[in-house]
Amino acid sequence: MSTHTLKNAPRLFPSLFPRLCPPLLLAALSCLGSLAHAADIPLYETGPSQDAAFVRFINAQAGLLEVSSAGSVTRTKLEPGQPASPFYTVDANARVKGRFHAGSQQGDIGLTVKPGEFASVVALPGTGAIKQIILREQPDDFNALKVSLALYNIDPQCGPAGLKVMGRSAALFESVASGSLQRRALNPVSISVQLVCKGVLAPATLALGALQAGQRYSVFVVPSGVNSRLFITSDNLAR
């Protein structure tokens, strides 16, 4: 059975082994592109006979964030301009351990992920040990003709949150509680959105760019001082 490691790539974790996925999940993952930064570096083990599970890491801080596995000195970097890792395949129901690093700050990572589940581990801004929040999805909405877009609300100051399409009266998302997410399908479009916090328009705006049919994206609402900020990521799978 062949591995998915890169030849001569930095090794953060033992080599990856392919595993079987549910047919619907395989169809969805076949449409995921590769990420430009450390997307090809294997992070976590996978087993050969269980359903796949997936985890990614999100930098909601203002500066550089690094991620390492337990017992490893090798790190992958999440820059403010590219704050999301791709989704890495992990052992379903096995303990995933690692650590966030941001200057002198650190924070331990520890979670398990169910079969077919996509977990996002978000490093939060603040002083002292790096705090985190974990949001989970079980995707079942794949449509090759539609865009799949989620709103992740990580900001306790902005709850419930929503997104309004700029220049229109349409609401893209509404009533997303802090610490939760919503996902919806929409037609391939190129739009800009404005954040809504507690039913009131907030200063934060975001151009979503040209969203492609058959692709999955996530918009994050994260704290930024007394306000909130937005960023969008492609839900890519590490290859």
Side-chain angles (χ1 to χ4, degrees), residues 25-159:
L25 189 57
L26 281 174
L29 294 180
S30 68
C31 292
L32 297 177
S34 59
L35 205 61
H37 64 302
D40 292 320
I41 301 176
L43 285 184
Y44 292 100
E45 288 185 347
T46 67
S49 61
Q50 302 177 44
D51 288 340
F54 304 90
V55 62
R56 68 176 170 184
F57 305 99
I58 306 293
N59 179 9
Q61 300 193 348
L64 171 68
L65 180 75
E66 297 179 307
V67 187
S68 66
S69 70
S72 173
V73 296
T74 306
R75 302 178 183 182
T76 187
K77 296 181 179 181
L78 299 178
E79 304 280 356
Q82 196 168 40
S85 79
F87 278 105
Y88 298 101
T89 309
V90 300
D91 277 328
N93 297 320
R95 190 70 175 170
V96 177
K97 294 182 180 181
R99 181 166 290 181
F100 285 128
H101 310 261
S104 61
Q105 290 182 279
Q106 296 187 13
D108 289 335
I109 300 167
L111 73 156
T112 58
V113 190
K114 297 177 182 178
E117 187 174 64
F118 286 70
S120 297
V121 186
V122 184
L124 301 172
T127 59
I130 299 174
K131 297 180 180 179
Q132 62 194 253
I133 184 173
I134 302 171
L135 279 75
R136 304 169 186 268
E137 289 189 78
Q138 285 274 3
D140 59 1
D141 61 347
F142 178 71
N143 184 331
L145 301 179
K146 296 283 189 177
V147 172
S148 179
L149 182 67
L151 179 62
Y152 283 69
N153 185 5
I154 311 300
D155 190 355
Q157 302 175 110
C158 182

